[in-house]
Amino acid sequence: NKMSKKLNIGVIGCGGIATWAHMPAYANMEDVEVVALCDIKLEKAKALAKKYDIPEKMTFEDYHDVIAIPEIYAIDICTPNKFHSIIAVDALNAGKHVFSEKPDAISVEEANKMKKVSDKNSKVLMVMRNNRHCASSKFLRRYIQEGNMGEIYSGRCGWQRTRGIPGKGGWFTTKELSGGGPLIDLGVHMIDLAIWLMGNPTPVAVSGSTYTKFAQSTVVDSDNAKFGEKSDEGIFDVEDLAMGFIKFDNGACLQIEFSWASNVDRETRYVELRGTKSGTKWENEDVELYGETSGAYCITKPVISKAKGGHEMNLRHFIDVVLYGEKPDFEPIQGVNMIKILQAIYESAESGYEVRL
């Protein structure tokens, strides 16, 4: 009986993503109770607590206080990137299940640490991969698993914006806190979706280039730029464009491009895959299929309902794994491989050479 169980969660980090995605998602779930909120700016936690009728005494400035609460079974991490792995390791060691916002960590070493600690404590560790959970992605995964694409041997993916730098001068553009720019912010989304659809091959070599050309621009035309808090005297030491190329152990390859600001026609996020039987393009959650049918080249547009958003479905999946033993679709090794790719692109951009993984 689903209603007899309730999962008590502590949410750490009460900024944009917690406010916009996580808290509203939990509010829709009858078997979840958010019992504590934490933010280094306590007033943010208090404001969110007020909105969701959480007692003020359950708001904290220090995440250790939340992890120490015995009746909390799971921790949800919505902080700046640098702290994802640090808090996750502490929470897993305290015997809590952990859900973290992406990216998994800002270094391979940290991602490995998370995986180790999750294995050691036999606790669930999941990291947000919301694009796997939208209806069009689930359709494509099934389409591919049923053999309709044949061998998928190459792909392209990207997320480009015309002018959409988040919180300029704030943590997003400060490498020490974010680990990088659009590659780590946006890249993790579309690279993951591409690799997941390709059947999770292992990356073996990476090359990339990064550029910072829009640190001085003040034009904003993307809703997505609202994330993070701006700071006029802040730091901008990350890229605003990353391009790269990934080779996998099965011979497949993937081209990537991610930018917060570029002189291009429009903002778009996409994954395009080429298989021997058919090809596909996933763009802004719409899908097209390409291939020969009955002696002609056809473009097919499946009709897929835009159900609930991926963030909520991903959080729901975490709850189902923890409460009801559902098999997790995300494994920490996928996170380690993701951070390996991102770190190698930054290394290659610096050295000018391909990086073997």
Side-chain angles (χ1 to χ4, degrees):
N1 175 355
K2 287 210 168 186
M3 292 304 76
S4 59
K5 295 186 180 181
K6 245 192 190 195
L7 187 68
N8 288 342
I9 291 187
V11 174
I12 297 171
C14 296
I17 201 73
T19 306
W20 169 80
H22 293 234
M23 292 301 288
Y26 291 137
N28 288 336
M29 301 180 199
E30 290 178 357
D31 49 2
V32 172
E33 190 78 47
V34 176
V35 294
L37 293 172
C38 173
D39 198 284
I40 52 168
K41 294 181 178 162
L42 190 57
E43 63 274 16
K44 280 188 171 181
K46 283 183 177 169
L48 211 49
K50 206 170 181 170
K51 190 175 170 187
Y52 288 97
D53 296 327
I54 296 165
E56 193 176 307
K57 68 172 201 296
M58 296 307 281
T59 59
F60 302 90
E61 224 168 311
D62 185 339
Y63 75 85
H64 294 95
D65 297 338
V66 178
I67 289 172
I69 299 170
E71 60 270 22
I72 287 180
Y73 280 87
I75 297 290
D76 178 359
I77 303 167
C78 294
T79 62
N81 301 349
K82 177 185 180 175
F83 307 107
H84 293 177
S85 59
I86 296 167
I87 298 169
V89 165
D90 286 348
L92 290 161
N93 277 330
K96 312 296 187 193
H97 298 291
V98 170
F99 187 93
S100 172
E101 254 304 329
K102 55 82 204 170
D104 310 68
I106 64 170
S107 73
V108 175
E109 191 191 353
E110 285 286 310
N112 270 319
K113 215 184 280 180
M114 285 166 85
K115 181 187 179 308
K116 260 203 203 96
V117 175
S118 137
D119 292 344
K120 188 185 87 186
N121 294 297
S122 311
K123 293 294 168 198
V124 177
L125 166 64
M126 292 186 84
V127 180
M128 181 65 83
R129 295 292 193 266
N130 48 295
N131 290 288
R132 295 184 184 189
H133 289 268
C134 61
S136 51
S137 304
K138 286 179 170 171
F139 163 81
L140 262 187
R141 170 93 161 173
R142 182 176 162 184
Y143 176 79
I144 290 164
Q145 284 181 330
E146 287 174 1
N148 294 303
M149 284 190 70
E151 178 205 350
I152 299 175
Y153 56 91
S154 68
R156 299 189 312 145
C157 69
W159 185 335
Q160 50 189 32
R161 293 181 184 161
T162 43
R163 297 291 183 275
I165 299 170
K168 189 183 279 196
W171 74 261
F172 272 98
T173 64
T174 306
K175 194 171 175 80
E176 157 63 86
L177 296 175
S178 61
L183 177 65
I184 202 163
D185 178 33
L186 311 179
V188 66
H189 285 295
M190 295 298 112
I191 295 171
D192 178 72
L193 184 55
I195 292 177
W196 181 68
L197 289 171
M198 291 166 94
N200 290 312
T202 304
V204 292
V206 172
S207 66
S209 296
T210 56
Y211 303 91
T212 307
K213 303 292 183 190
F214 289 90
Q216 303 313 314
S217 167
T218 54
V219 176
V220 172
D221 64 4
S222 170
D223 279 353
N224 292 303
K226 292 186 186 126
F227 278 95
E229 286 173 25
K230 287 207 287 265
S231 161
D232 290 336
E233 34 306 329
I235 295 171
F236 198 125
D237 61 352
V238 298
E239 83 281 2
D240 55 35
L241 168 70
M243 294 199 126
F245 194 78
I246 306 165
K247 293 181 175 192
F248 298 97
D249 59 349
N250 62 352
C253 69
L254 184 66
Q255 295 177 36
I256 64 165
E257 55 169 341
F258 297 98
S259 71
W260 280 337
S262 277
N263 290 325
V264 291
D265 60 340
R266 65 199 164 105
E267 175 162 340
T268 184
R269 52 194 176 109
Y270 67 91
V271 171
E272 180 188 296
L273 299 175
R274 300 179 204 187
T276 47
K277 284 192 190 172
S278 69
T280 186
K281 188 169 198 176
W282 179 105
E283 188 168 9
N284 306 328
E285 295 187 31
D286 287 320
V287 173
E288 286 187 345
L289 307 170
Y290 312 111
E292 293 173 21
T293 306
S294 308
Y297 190 75
C298 295
I299 297 175
T300 310
K301 293 188 181 186
V303 180
I304 301 159
S305 69
K306 291 235 166 93
K308 278 184 183 153
H311 289 86
E312 180 167 339
M313 300 302 280
N314 201 159
L315 290 164
R316 180 67 254 171
H317 175 55
F318 171 70
I319 306 302
D320 290 340
V321 169
V322 172
L323 275 187
Y324 312 115
E326 193 175 285
K327 186 183 182 317
D329 80 346
F330 171 86
E331 289 156 26
I333 187 64
Q334 295 166 8
V336 173
N337 283 335
M338 173 61 61
I339 304 306
K340 273 187 184 169
I341 289 171
L342 303 184
Q343 195 169 295
I345 288 170
Y346 287 130
E347 277 172 34
S348 169
E350 225 162 272
S351 73
Y353 295 103
E354 181 179 77
V355 175
R356 306 289 303 175
L357 297 176

